[in-house]
Amino acid sequence: MNPTIRCKIIYGVASIMKKIHEKKIIFQDLRVFRTFLDDNCNPIICGSRFTPTYDIDPNIAHPAGHPFYLAPEVFEEEINSAFDVYTFGLFVYQMFSPNFMFNGKQIEKKTYLMSKFHDGQMLDRPKNVPDCYWELIVACLKKVPGDRPTFAEILDELKNDQWALEEFGTKTNIDELHEYQKLIGN
């Protein structure tokens, strides 16, 4: 995967999530393996249980999805769009690392990961994550839902050229990225 495609995937997924939230729907199960690429390497998300936010009863509603990806507030507070922002943080993390790591060890037990996040601890930073993306991941994984950015705020940031990646001697094609951003209209 080249840096232009990686930037388009991250921007495209954030754009899709913004549009979902504008319709007052919570996606609930954003993960890398649910993201596919079309013939132009544009992301397509599938396979979730969409929930209109006005249908959520905090006394009986439990979010869909794998426990690895549940935000810390899931059993304590009403589920809202910040839940999806949390899973987006994990999504971006996995765009740079296939493994969740704490203190140099790969996390395999979902209860361990959940307890670490519940205690406010942060994943290890993968070596290849640029500062701006690491700051985004950290912001999205904040323990308090109200402290997380919205997808509108995330997209405003991602439009800045500082987010263009340079990896393995290859730079993001800025013109192609800008064309994609215009195409999807955020």
Side-chain angles (χ1 to χ4, degrees), residues 49-174:
R49 182 187 90 180
F50 294 106
T51 302
T53 55
Y54 52 80
D55 281 348
I56 294 176
D57 179 346
N59 298 314
I60 60 172
H62 295 285
H66 194 284
F68 237 40
Y69 299 87
L70 297 180
E73 71 272 12
V74 74
F75 298 111
E76 299 171 10
E77 300 178 27
E78 181 177 333
I79 304 303
N80 60 36
S81 58
F83 179 89
D84 286 337
V85 172
Y86 179 88
T87 59
F88 180 73
L90 294 174
F91 176 90
V92 174
Y93 185 93
Q94 286 191 294
M95 290 296 297
F96 294 95
S97 174
N99 303 312
F100 294 119
M101 305 287 288
F102 275 109
N103 299 321
K105 296 179 183 173
Q106 182 177 339
I107 305 307
E108 295 179 15
K109 293 185 177 184
K110 53 192 157 225
T111 53
Y112 183 77
L113 180 68
M114 291 171 64
S115 71
K116 291 292 185 188
F117 283 139
H118 186 72
D119 292 342
Q121 294 185 33
M122 181 52 60
L123 292 162
D124 292 351
R125 179 180 177 170
K127 292 177 183 172
N128 62 331
V129 176
D131 291 341
C132 58
Y133 281 99
W134 182 246
E135 290 168 12
L136 174 63
I137 291 166
V138 170
C140 290
L141 296 180
K142 295 239 181 210
K143 185 176 179 180
V144 177
D147 292 346
R148 298 178 198 145
T150 65
F151 281 107
E153 293 167 337
I154 292 168
L155 283 170
D156 283 344
E157 283 294 317
L158 291 175
K159 289 177 186 174
N160 187 318
D161 288 347
Q162 80 174 16
W163 297 86
L165 293 167
E166 183 175 345
E167 303 173 304
F168 313 110
T170 305
K171 293 182 180 183
T172 297
N173 181 325
I174 296 292

